[in-house]
Amino acid sequence: MGLTDLMSMAKPNMDARENFLSKLSSREFVNCFQCLKCTSGCTALKLLELKPHEIVKLVNLGFVDELASSDIIWTCVTCLKCVQRCPQKASPYHIIMVLRNMAVEKEAQIPEEYLKTVSRILETGLAEAPQEVTTRKMEVFDRKSLNLPKITFPRESFQVAFMKIMEEK
Amino acid sequence: MPRIGVYVCHCGLNIAGVVDVEKVTEYAEKLQDVIVAKHYVYMCSETGQRMVKEDIKAHNLDRIVIATCSPRMHEETFRRTVAEAGLNPYLLEIVNLREHVSWVHSEEPEKATEKAKDLVKMGVARVKLLQPLEKRRVSVEKNVLVVGGGIAGIQASLDLADAGFRVYLVEKAPSIGGRMAQLDKTFPTLDCSACILTPKMVDAARHPNIILLTNSEVTNVSGFVGNYEVSIVKKPRYVDEEKCVGCELCTQVCPVKVPDKFNEGLSQTHAISIYSPYAVPKIAIINPNHCLRLKYDKDVCGKCLEACEAKAINFEQQPEEFRLKVGAIILAVGAEIFDASKMPELRYKQCKNVVSNIEFERILNASGPTKGEIINPQNGAVPKTLVFVQCVGSRDKRFHEHCCRVGCMTTLKQAILVRERLGENVKIYVCFNDMRAFGKGYDEFYRRARELDIDFVAGLPSDIRSAPEGSLYFDVYDKGTNKLLEIKPDLIVLASGMVPNTDLEKLSALFHVSRSNDGFLLEAHPKLRPLESLTAGIFIAGSCQGPKDIPDTVAQASGAAAKVIDLLAKDVIELEPLTAVIDKNLCSGCQICEPICPFLAIETKTEIVEGTEKAKAKVIEAMCQGCGLCVSACPTKAIKMQHYTDEQFLAQVKACCSERR
Amino acid sequence: MKLAVFWGCRILTSQYAYEMSVREVFKKLNVELVDLSEANCCGDPIKSVKDSAANYLANRVLAIANATGLDGLLVPCNRCHFTISEAKDVMSKDKNLNKKIESLLKEEGLAYNSHIKIWHVIDFLHNFVGLDSIKKTAQKPLNGLRLATHVGCQIIRYSDLGRVDDAENPRKLDELVEALGAKTVDYAEKLDCCGAALMYGHPNSALSLAGAKIKALQNLGVDGLVISCPDCGLMFDFRQKDAAATVGAKTSLPVIYYTQLLGLALNIEMEKLGLHLNQSPVEQLLMKIST
């Protein structure tokens, strides 16, 4: 859902903010003084209207639920420019990642591909399935025909361990 | 048997809000040799002090313990109190219940009270062993050293000289004037900087009480308040100061071009030149790093030699060293401008049309590289769109956390000047984060800028880019409109902040003055002693203490001068008696202590003991600062620090470790 | 010299040219690469789902690498390099997480080792092998080529973590290209992101980010774009046509991995470097090298 719609009737929820804070390793973001460097340089701003400065401020004011339900947090390209250039070390990227985790927790709608990836990793250890590559001359190659080593799947214990940490509260 | 009085201060609720002062008092009362124990809401108040004085007389007390705030706050106050009651002021012990207890243990009041009791017990143990001491009285030198010839140093020197003191004004550059000399106009009144500064520069040079030492640096400092001894090295100019008339004939013939420092490298001068159009003294100087003759061969070039009618050129000139005795020192060495090339994303030094505010100041100035014409450095065209970017290097944890305090006002001034000189044809943007206009007339000045159609964009760009043909462009998000603005400026001025001088580290070691976290010099107290360093007799003025504009700098300089006058007006000053003393019988003459003393206060003398010559260390009392290094270094324990003896400390440790009654 | 190597997912499943060229070039430089015994996602996509699980996956890589007994691990993918570096940093700071992950790894019969040095291809070649020895080993100088570089985001940001090159003025890849005799160009979009991370949720936007950059480079008239990250390879090479279409352009910009370029200079056969697998018109570039 769009953030504007979510925010229209929203009220701050400080418990949600506390929950958010417990998941973030650093509290530096409270130092944000809205200089807007992050948004001025945001890779996802022009195309998808991601405004990191707005997210930082909304989190601080307690609008965590609204952000976690919104689709805006899924527009970050993870280019890390905002982390690098923030004069107050507020790290909008890390905030967005925590919000994404919270979205998953509350079973908000998230891009399907992320959940598919979880299953793929569980099955094969890898986030992607091996592909065949068609060359410019229309020849088809795969790892085998390229004489590349076979992919070895993770040991059996991996699935249990991965499930354990995925399902942990 | 000693008769001790113990007084526990509430400090309002500062201490009493955490520590149970009544319990601490009750506890103190039961300690051995304590005759009186009382608590009161403000011990430092008139009533509190009177209570101590009356008790001393009524109960015949001979030692006092006051459990209160840090001794740095009120030890002097209470020493005066006990002295007024006829006790030796050094028979007083301060126990710190505020900084050491209540402020740091506010979460645990019960444990805090227990700690307070322990500290009081330790204080009582020590006070019993204190010895009466007398202050040292020393005469003072009536001369003053002022380091740095910017507006701060000039103002302080003039004030002191007018008050009748002899001032040595030492400046590293070939001319006094400092940063202010580089400025075009000053905010918020737009007076011409040179017009108000140059008369003061000339006054300083002509004043019979001021001895100007330009192109000079302080190399050594020893001594103590009232009696400093400093060495100054005057670097060679290779031009005879007595003979040079400042005609600049030499400059005109010099074939070597050198970036002009006064113009921030935006133009070139020559290997022999006069520092600036308003240089004081107006004497040429040869840059030894560039002059062909000084750099390569004694016989090359020599064009200046031929051109100089006054025969002032002297390639044989050597550095001169002076040793001076001064009673006080004012440090006024100024600040530097942040080097924006540390932020490559802003393209400073990569694109010629991105300049710093100090460089733009030179561009605006009639004596600058463009003769005051506002043109961009790349192709000399008049800019159609000009952008100021604020907070460069300042308020930024990656570089400097402090606010530069002048960036906003400098930008407003420069933007107004651009509008006034280029008219309506130029678009001016200021990209900012908080516009700080806090001084007298400053916010009115901000309004004036808005009236002149300067566009204020509430947001900072993340980076600045340049197209292949060199044109600049960048995106900036504006808080007010919620829009991303795409700006294509011809010229970008970066509001580069004031940062500590790179040689401040060296300087702080040389003068024994501390620096604060931001790297600037540390004042003795941020509110109550802003003009003094923590070293007695050394004062600070201007932006070496923190970024400052001209009004604040001048105010601080005059203030520091007044402080010096206050100090040197007396013929004799009193010094703390906290010095090291050496027991001759124990001294083995090993000389370990001598090189360890940072104040050169120990000398070794030979004495005849039982017919044989023996080396013995001796403390030069006037120079000893009581740091205690020699005490801990002495292998035979022959050195004792007065008022801080081993016995006194051990008594405290013992008291601390003993069971509480 | 022996190095463990962790390829990540993207390289193993589609960016074969990068894998082949790294293997060939390192062999030629006398560096033996030891593959890890099992495949493992670095955790990057899981960061958006469950951070602790992502940290587990990333640190599991270091545990598997530990089993090789080697003290250096080559991670040629930018994203894996960042994820593992950050997870290692988190492990050193967050004691609870550290305990949890170490015990999970123990259950799997693995042991965590925080002392393994993590290399990327770029810093290994630049800092360890060195520009001089690359210059010396190169038999076929690439003089006359005018190339642009794209280092990618995640090996240069964020500086506080300690990255492969300077965040604002990365020069190592450029210097490595220059060591082969080619010229590099500076361009305004140099540090712009390829957009790969948006492919999950917003593929069109992702492609238009890549498209804008390719279009700018095409206009600059460079002979090719040199990259060192499989995500960037996917966007600029594999998906170049689609990317260009989103910005209304038709481009034919050769995109080549640095290791492929280095392989050419080391006189390694093109097939072995996987040059037939690039989807962008690398033959334009190859022709300029052979003439």
Side-chain angles (χ1 to χ4, degrees):
Chain A
M1 208 171 165
L3 186 60
T4 320
D5 293 336
L6 285 161
M7 285 303 295
S8 64
M9 299 289 278
K11 290 211 166 60
N13 176 349
M14 295 324 261
D15 291 338
R17 183 180 180 271
E18 275 312 306
N19 183 23
F20 167 87
L21 278 175
S22 69
K23 292 170 193 288
L24 195 68
S25 60
S26 134
R27 281 181 62 96
E28 298 259 24
F29 82 94
V30 300
N31 293 329
C32 168
F33 56 15
Q34 298 282 300
C35 74
L36 276 80
K37 273 197 184 192
C38 52
T39 298
S40 292
C42 180
T43 308
L45 169 69
K46 282 189 195 174
L47 294 165
L48 298 161
E49 293 180 12
L50 175 60
K51 288 169 274 186
H53 80 279
E54 190 179 77
I55 292 184
V56 176
K57 185 94 183 188
L58 285 174
V59 162
N60 216 357
L61 291 177
F63 295 101
V64 173
D65 292 328
E66 289 72 17
L67 282 167
S69 307
S70 79
D71 43 27
I72 199 71
I73 55 171
W74 298 95
T75 61
C76 171
V77 202
T78 70
C79 69
L80 306 172
K81 254 161 78 180
C82 57
V83 187
Q84 179 65 34
R85 294 198 179 139
C86 177
Q88 294 298 317
K89 299 198 185 279
S91 278
Y93 156 81
H94 290 99
I95 292 174
I96 290 171
M97 285 297 149
V98 170
L99 289 168
R100 285 184 179 183
N101 279 212
M102 292 178 85
V104 173
E105 247 172 54
K106 63 191 277 188
E107 295 177 3
Q109 204 177 358
I110 73 162
E112 222 179 316
E113 207 43 46
Y114 285 99
L115 298 177
K116 284 188 186 162
T117 305
V118 176
S119 334
R120 271 200 298 271
I121 294 174
L122 191 60
E123 283 161 31
T124 66
L126 292 180
E128 313 259 338
Q131 291 172 25
E132 289 179 342
V133 174
T134 311
T135 67
R136 303 187 299 283
K137 290 179 180 161
M138 303 313 280
E139 293 165 293
V140 179
F141 286 98
D142 61 8
R143 291 192 68 84
K144 200 175 169 195
S145 56
L146 290 167
N147 286 325
L148 287 169
K150 230 182 123 194
I151 298 172
T152 44
F153 293 116
R155 63 190 71 186
E156 268 173 36
S157 59
F158 169 70
Q159 286 192 332
V160 180
F162 186 57
M163 284 295 284
K164 238 188 201 172
I165 195 144
M166 280 304 292
E167 279 167 6
E168 188 193 47
K169 279 285 158 203
Chain B
M1 274 298 170
R3 299 178 62 81
I4 303 168
V6 179
Y7 298 87
V8 181
C9 180
H10 301 195
C11 194
L13 285 175
N14 273 308
I15 294 171
V18 178
V19 174
D20 188 333
V21 288
E22 277 184 32
K23 275 196 186 146
V24 175
T25 313
E26 277 168 30
Y27 173 78
E29 209 164 17
K30 290 179 197 138
L31 293 169
Q32 203 184 347
D33 301 330
V34 173
I35 308 297
V36 186
K38 288 182 178 170
H39 60 87
Y40 185 65
V41 59
Y42 289 113
M43 281 310 297
C44 60
S45 68
E46 176 62 34
T47 326
Q49 293 189 52
R50 197 177 339 121
M51 186 162 83
V52 178
K53 283 190 266 187
E54 286 171 0
D55 282 355
I56 290 175
K57 288 188 178 131
H59 300 282
N60 208 14
L61 302 178
D62 58 8
R63 274 149 218 257
I64 300 296
V65 174
I66 300 185
T68 178
C69 54
S70 162
R72 279 185 57 180
M73 197 71 206
H74 277 311
E75 189 167 40
E76 266 314 302
T77 314
F78 293 119
R79 274 187 186 157
R80 273 198 302 273
T81 310
V82 299
E84 279 164 19
L87 270 190
N88 183 288
Y90 294 90
L91 298 178
L92 164 80
E93 172 72 359
I94 300 284
V95 173
N96 186 351
L97 293 192
R98 197 176 71 177
E99 285 83 349
H100 285 182
V101 183
S102 63
W103 280 0
V104 285
H105 303 302
S106 54
E107 305 288 314
E108 299 173 295
E110 280 175 20
K111 284 188 182 171
T113 303
E114 292 307 302
K115 179 171 170 184
K117 286 181 188 170
D118 281 349
L119 292 177
V120 167
K121 179 168 62 169
M122 290 161 69
V124 168
R126 177 163 185 258
V127 83
K128 293 178 189 173
L129 299 175
L130 292 181
Q131 299 287 327
L133 298 169
E134 291 304 323
K135 284 203 168 169
R136 295 172 284 164
R137 290 165 65 82
V138 293
S139 63
V140 293
E141 289 288 338
K142 301 275 180 179
N143 306 329
V144 186
L145 171 71
V146 176
V147 187
I151 182 59
I154 292 172
Q155 182 67 42
S157 300
L158 286 171
D159 287 358
L160 287 163
D162 284 345
F165 293 92
R166 163 164 294 207
V167 179
Y168 299 97
L169 175 55
V170 177
E171 167 60 49
K172 190 168 71 172
S175 163
I176 55 168
R179 285 281 171 208
M180 189 174 167
Q182 288 181 294
L183 308 182
D184 185 47
K185 297 276 158 61
T186 56
F187 58 76
T189 46
L190 297 186
D191 318 61
C192 157
S193 187
C195 308
I196 56 177
L197 175 68
T198 44
K200 279 191 180 280
M201 290 163 68
V202 173
D203 285 354
R206 285 200 187 141
H207 204 294
N209 280 344
I210 297 179
I211 293 150
L212 205 56
L213 292 160
T214 51
N215 207 34
S216 304
E217 283 183 55
V218 178
T219 52
N220 193 43
V221 181
S222 61
F224 54 95
V225 54
N227 295 272
Y228 282 108
E229 211 170 291
V230 291
S231 303
I232 291 159
V233 168
K234 192 171 173 60
K235 294 169 282 180
R237 277 179 183 264
Y238 305 103
V239 172
D240 190 327
E241 293 194 10
E242 304 295 318
K243 290 182 186 160
C244 176
V245 293
C247 68
E248 292 187 85
L249 283 174
C250 51
T251 308
Q252 288 160 24
V253 298
C254 177
V256 185
K257 294 215 164 172
V258 178
D260 187 343
K261 207 177 163 201
F262 188 72
N263 277 340
E264 295 292 325
L266 292 172
S267 68
Q268 293 196 308
T269 178
H270 295 268
I272 183 163
S273 64
I274 286 180
Y275 187 67
S276 83
Y278 345 98
V280 169
K282 197 167 185 190
I283 297 168
I285 180 165
I286 300 180
N287 186 329
N289 301 322
H290 293 278
C291 168
L292 298 175
R293 182 169 282 218
L294 286 170
K295 212 171 147 188
Y296 301 110
D297 192 326
K298 281 192 166 143
D299 299 320
V300 296
C301 193
K303 287 208 157 76
C304 51
L305 212 55
E306 290 162 24
C308 182
E309 289 170 2
K311 303 275 172 245
I313 315 267
N314 174 11
F315 287 107
E316 305 302 319
Q317 218 174 53
Q318 295 297 319
E320 278 179 84
E321 199 189 54
F322 301 89
R323 291 176 72 86
L324 309 170
K325 285 195 148 192
V326 295
I329 298 170
I330 295 181
L331 297 176
V333 296
E336 274 170 21
I337 309 295
F338 175 72
D339 174 10
S341 60
K342 288 181 183 160
M343 299 169 82
E345 66 269 30
L346 298 181
R347 300 290 173 273
Y348 178 68
K349 295 277 183 211
Q350 298 168 42
C351 301
K352 280 189 163 177
N353 288 348
V354 180
V355 299
S356 71
N357 45 5
I358 189 76
E359 287 168 349
F360 194 58
E361 205 67 45
R362 295 312 301 148
I363 291 175
L364 287 169
N365 191 267
S367 73
T370 61
K371 306 273 175 268
E373 252 189 279
I374 302 171
I375 50 177
N376 72 51
Q378 190 177 310
N379 61 7
V382 176
K384 291 196 176 66
T385 303
L386 204 145
V387 174
F388 293 89
V389 176
Q390 298 306 104
C391 297
V392 174
S394 319
R395 307 177 70 207
D396 190 326
K397 286 186 176 166
R398 298 168 300 166
F399 305 101
H400 299 276
E401 270 198 78
H402 65 263
C403 165
C404 81
R405 270 178 115 254
V406 295
C408 289
M409 295 307 293
T410 302
T411 288
L412 291 179
K413 173 192 74 180
Q414 293 181 339
I416 289 170
L417 291 176
V418 171
R419 174 65 79 224
E420 283 180 353
R421 294 188 197 169
L422 295 183
E424 292 305 312
N425 295 327
V426 59
K427 189 102 187 100
I428 306 170
Y429 293 98
V430 176
C431 299
F432 73 100
N433 172 30
D434 303 334
M435 184 54 66
R436 294 182 168 177
F438 51 86
K440 185 168 178 170
Y442 289 8
D443 213 62
E444 295 88 324
F445 195 62
Y446 181 17
R447 186 193 170 88
R448 181 169 166 189
R450 298 199 299 276
E451 279 166 355
L452 288 171
D453 283 333
I454 289 158
D455 287 325
F456 288 89
V457 178
L460 295 173
S462 177
D463 52 33
I464 289 164
R465 300 179 173 213
S466 66
E469 83 281 6
S471 67
L472 298 167
Y473 63 99
F474 67 85
D475 294 340
V476 59
Y477 198 82
D478 175 51
K479 239 184 289 195
T481 58
N482 266 323
K483 277 205 160 34
L484 184 74
L485 308 179
E486 297 177 29
I487 302 178
K488 295 192 164 95
D490 309 300
L491 186 58
I492 295 177
V493 181
L494 303 177
S496 304
M498 273 194 197
V499 300
N501 258 338
T502 29
D503 45 7
L504 222 46
E505 191 179 345
K506 209 174 72 190
L507 225 95
S508 72
L510 188 61
F511 289 93
H512 294 290
V513 291
S514 311
R515 297 198 296 161
S516 38
N517 284 340
D518 55 13
F520 291 101
L521 295 183
L522 179 69
E523 61 286 340
H525 188 284
K527 291 159 197 91
L528 304 177
R529 292 170 69 195
L531 310 170
E532 297 153 70
S533 77
L534 283 164
T535 305
I538 299 188
F539 300 83
I540 44 184
S543 50
C544 58
Q545 180 255 344
K548 262 174 212 68
D549 56 16
I550 297 166
D552 284 2
T553 297
V554 171
Q556 199 186 10
S558 283
K563 278 287 192 192
V564 171
I565 294 168
D566 171 39
L567 173 73
L568 301 189
K570 305 165 198 126
D571 292 323
V572 170
I573 52 171
E574 287 185 327
L575 297 180
E576 288 289 325
L578 312 181
T579 55
V581 286
I582 297 174
D583 185 337
K584 259 197 240 169
N585 297 326
L586 290 176
C587 176
S588 66
C590 70
Q591 297 188 24
I592 287 175
C593 53
E594 198 181 319
I596 277 174
C597 176
F599 304 100
L600 309 175
I602 298 183
E603 55 187 0
T604 314
K605 287 197 165 164
T606 43
E607 279 180 18
I608 312 284
V609 182
E610 292 164 6
T612 53
E613 273 196 2
K614 277 203 172 153
K616 295 282 176 192
K618 192 171 174 286
V619 175
I620 309 164
E621 218 183 68
M623 289 174 69
C624 175
Q625 298 288 297
C627 72
L629 278 179
C630 56
V631 178
S632 41
C634 179
T636 59
K637 292 188 192 299
I639 314 181
K640 187 173 82 174
M641 182 57 57
Q642 302 205 87
H643 205 59
Y644 293 102
T645 63
D646 284 357
E647 294 75 34
Q648 291 164 4
F649 284 132
L650 285 171
Q652 281 183 290
V653 175
K654 239 186 207 166
C656 177
C657 298
S658 69
E659 279 298 305
R660 204 176 292 129
R661 274 189 293 171
Chain C
M1 174 74 188
K2 253 179 161 185
L3 265 187
V5 58
F6 172 73
W7 300 101
C9 304
R10 181 84 70 205
I11 297 176
L12 286 180
T13 59
S14 76
Q15 294 300 307
Y16 306 128
Y18 194 19
E19 183 178 340
M20 292 164 77
S21 56
V22 170
R23 287 187 191 278
E24 289 298 325
V25 162
F26 275 62
K27 201 191 293 167
K28 194 93 173 189
L29 296 171
N30 292 321
V31 181
E32 189 186 328
L33 293 181
V34 178
D35 282 49
L36 300 189
S37 60
E38 53 189 278
N40 190 120
C41 166
C42 75
D44 170 76
I46 305 301
K47 272 196 263 186
S48 297
V49 181
K50 195 164 175 63
D51 196 51
S52 54
N55 273 312
Y56 172 67
L57 288 171
N59 287 308
R60 191 174 187 275
V61 172
L62 293 175
I64 310 171
N66 185 37
T68 64
L70 297 170
D71 54 8
L73 175 69
L74 181 71
V75 182
C77 168
N78 287 18
R79 193 162 287 277
C80 298
H81 190 283
F82 170 68
T83 304
I84 297 170
S85 305
E86 197 178 44
K88 190 173 151 184
D89 186 56
V90 171
M91 274 290 266
S92 72
K93 287 175 183 156
D94 185 340
K95 281 190 187 128
N96 287 335
L97 186 77
N98 188 312
K99 237 164 100 184
K100 198 191 300 174
I101 288 179
E102 288 216 32
S103 82
L104 263 184
L105 288 171
K106 211 171 164 189
E107 284 174 31
E108 281 207 71
L110 291 164
Y112 178 66
N113 179 357
S114 63
H115 299 294
I116 295 176
K117 160 104 183 137
I118 302 169
W119 292 102
H120 187 269
V121 170
I122 299 303
D123 59 351
F124 187 80
L125 293 178
H126 192 278
N127 303 14
F128 190 82
V129 178
L131 292 176
D132 282 343
S133 76
I134 285 179
K135 253 181 231 168
K136 268 182 226 151
T137 339
Q139 296 155 9
K140 199 163 144 192
L142 309 178
N143 295 339
L145 284 184
R146 206 170 144 261
L147 299 168
T149 63
H150 169 87
V151 278
C153 303
Q154 301 211 339
I155 53 166
I156 56 169
R157 301 189 193 110
Y158 46 101
S159 310
D160 284 356
L161 189 60
R163 304 307 290 134
V164 167
D165 202 351
D166 186 84
E168 300 298 355
N169 188 22
R171 287 287 307 152
K172 286 184 183 171
L173 180 54
D174 293 76
E175 285 166 11
L176 285 167
V177 171
E178 286 157 12
L180 307 179
K183 283 205 166 59
T184 59
V185 296
D186 197 12
Y187 60 110
E189 298 81 4
K190 185 170 170 181
L191 299 185
D192 285 357
C193 176
C194 73
L198 272 185
M199 285 303 272
Y200 277 10
H202 299 273
N204 278 332
S205 300
L207 288 168
S208 65
L209 286 172
K213 186 150 179 164
I214 296 167
K215 193 176 160 190
L217 284 167
Q218 182 96 352
N219 292 340
L220 208 60
V222 292
D223 295 327
L225 175 66
V226 184
I227 55 169
S228 63
C229 166
D231 275 358
C232 307
L234 173 82
M235 300 305 286
F236 294 134
D237 183 62
F238 267 41
R239 304 296 299 270
Q240 184 172 136
K241 267 196 196 130
D242 304 332
T246 57
V247 292
K250 260 191 126 169
T251 60
S252 59
L253 179 74
V255 177
I256 187 167
Y257 284 105
Y258 177 71
T259 41
Q260 292 183 302
L261 195 71
L262 176 58
L264 288 169
L266 297 176
N267 241 338
I268 299 170
E269 290 156 57
M270 291 189 193
E271 289 262 310
K272 282 189 175 172
L273 297 170
L275 277 157
H276 54 307
L277 299 172
N278 295 42
Q279 304 283 301
S280 63
V282 282
E283 58 277 359
Q284 292 174 26
L285 187 69
L286 299 176
M287 268 162 59
K288 282 179 191 156
I289 295 174
S290 55
T291 51

